[in-house]
Amino acid sequence: MTIETSTAGVLALIAIMASVTLVTRFGGVFIMSFLRISPRIESFINTMASSVLIAIVVPMAFSGDAGAIAALSVTTVTMLALRKPLPAISAGIAAAGLVRYLF
Amino acid sequence: MSVASYSYQLQSQKIRQEFVRLFPISLFVVAFGAAFGLAATQSGLLPLEALLMSITVFAGASQFAATDMWGSEVSILPLMAVVFAINSRHLLMGASLYPMLKDLTPGKRYGLLLLLTDANWAVSAQDYQNGKRNLEVILGGGLVLWLAWIVGTWLGVYFGGLLQNPKSLGLDMVLGCFMLAMALGGKKSPRVLVAWTVAALASLAAWKWLPPNTHVVAGALAGGLVGYFWLDKKPINAAAEGDDA
């Protein structure tokens, strides 16, 4: 099934994308409202929460170019040294730009 | 059955504070949005269509993926599958906030979730790990991020030419650096470090061998399992209750 990208078609496609995204925004909470939260479930979701971040970043580093690796390394070092996210993020982005400019 | 008691009260002053707190991050989101606006117009979307997509979908990575699939015709099921796979991390993010969200009335709870996105979720989840309940950042922070995403898209579709190659400025790394900074800002116990290792290995395996865009969920669930089997020391008296699963 395909939709032509006429005006009405594009509106339909955007509506489909918005609905699917809404299902993901609502779905996790909706399902949880039927579960009883035992300490074990709570431990599961707490650990999962920080694992989401790692699961996004690690493949990014492995599939990325030298700029990506520089960005993530510099962010790590700056964050561990200063414990402030904003300088860490800025330094990381600057590192990516610099490495890509040089190489 | 527990009787619902909606004890969490959102404080409007704190919502404003969180709006201001995430303002600096939202500047990066403007740049990311501009990159999307440019990509969208280059793949044939009209400016207003790109804007409408940013306003209603508000999920950057999936919007970029959609522009890759754009043509004179778009296949519906592959589009839905890609959008769902990329955004399925929201399912886990929402679930992780549930212990707080259950104390809100359903109307407010789902209203807040309209603005759920990576950055404001990461702040809220991190605060929760540190013992602070902060749903205001979902609302106030989400609002500033949403506005930034719209403004960025608008800039990108009309002035995208100024930003021909966002990658050369490192702008593709905004999300990655942000996520990493958030993860490193949390508490790091041996349990967390083991979970991170498992999450990293599982996400890499999924990235290599499973369908595209499933690695975030695979890694996060694998990390969560570490938490499921390895409880923090304090709830010892609750161990018997957890045995049935």
Side-chain angles (χ1 to χ4, degrees):
Chain A
M1 253 198 322
T2 60
I3 292 185
E4 239 184 275
T5 44
S6 58
T7 308
V10 170
L11 291 181
L13 289 166
I14 292 174
I16 289 170
M17 289 177 67
S19 313
V20 171
T21 308
L22 207 56
V23 166
T24 65
R25 284 205 166 94
F26 287 174
V29 173
F30 185 71
I31 292 166
M32 288 300 289
S33 65
F34 295 104
L35 290 181
R36 222 169 71 84
I37 307 187
S38 68
R40 220 168 249 279
I41 299 285
E42 181 151 13
S43 173
F44 173 80
I45 58 181
N46 280 338
T47 323
M48 182 186 75
S50 63
S51 299
V52 172
L53 303 171
I54 299 300
I56 290 174
V57 169
V58 170
M60 202 181 259
F62 272 75
S63 61
D65 60 351
I69 293 166
L72 297 173
S73 324
V74 169
T75 300
T76 303
V77 173
T78 318
M79 187 64 198
L80 291 178
L82 302 180
R83 317 218 123 263
K84 289 200 170 68
L86 220 53
I89 298 163
S90 313
I93 293 165
L98 186 67
V99 165
R100 285 176 185 152
Y101 175 77
L102 292 175
F103 298 102
Chain B
M1 287 294 287
S2 60
V3 177
S5 66
Y6 304 121
S7 56
Y8 195 103
Q9 296 297 328
L10 292 168
Q11 299 164 26
S12 52
Q13 194 204 349
K14 213 171 143 199
I15 294 168
R16 283 193 294 273
Q17 277 172 10
E18 297 297 342
F19 186 97
V20 174
R21 183 177 168 205
L22 289 207
F23 180 76
I25 299 290
S26 79
L27 296 179
F28 290 121
V29 174
V30 170
F32 197 48
F36 167 72
L38 176 65
T41 47
Q42 282 174 346
S43 44
L45 277 142
L46 297 175
L48 277 178
E49 295 168 346
L51 267 172
L52 187 65
M53 190 189 285
S54 283
I55 292 167
T56 59
V57 179
F58 182 41
S62 65
Q63 291 180 228
F64 269 103
T67 65
D68 281 342
M69 304 171 75
W70 222 256
S72 58
E73 289 186 330
V74 179
S75 313
I76 302 171
L77 285 179
L79 178 73
M80 290 177 78
V82 165
V83 170
F84 183 83
I86 295 179
N87 291 332
S88 55
R89 66 184 192 287
H90 289 139
L91 291 166
L92 306 182
M93 287 161 33
S96 79
L97 296 179
Y98 185 72
M100 278 189 285
L101 284 166
K102 70 175 166 43
D103 295 335
L104 282 181
T105 60
K108 281 185 187 159
R109 187 186 306 165
Y110 289 103
L112 275 190
L113 288 168
L114 291 172
L115 291 168
L116 178 72
T117 190
D118 301 290
N120 56 353
W121 166 77
V123 174
S124 187
Q126 222 53 259
D127 280 355
Y128 187 64
Q129 307 270 302
N130 298 328
K132 283 178 291 191
R133 292 158 70 84
N134 185 356
L135 284 176
E136 281 82 356
V137 71
I138 302 290
L139 183 54
L143 218 48
V144 74
L145 295 167
W146 182 62
L147 293 173
W149 183 237
I150 296 168
V151 169
T153 305
W154 177 78
L155 286 173
V157 295
Y158 290 109
F159 308 101
L162 300 177
L163 202 71
Q164 274 305 338
N165 191 1
K167 223 183 142 181
S168 72
L169 299 173
L171 291 177
D172 57 318
M173 295 310 296
V174 171
L175 181 65
C177 293
F178 179 79
M179 296 308 233
L180 189 57
M182 283 297 134
L184 294 171
K187 66 171 179 190
K188 295 172 279 294
S189 63
R191 194 174 66 104
V192 169
L193 294 177
V194 169
W196 284 5
T197 310
V198 171
L201 293 175
S203 68
L204 280 175
W207 171 68
K208 200 159 167 29
W209 291 302
L210 291 184
N213 305 313
T214 55
H215 63 271
V216 176
V217 170
L221 289 177
L225 281 179
V226 172
Y228 185 84
F229 290 110
W230 182 356
L231 295 176
D232 245 341
K233 279 202 189 69
K234 79 182 135 65
I236 289 171
N237 54 352
E241 193 187 25
D243 275 348
D244 54 355

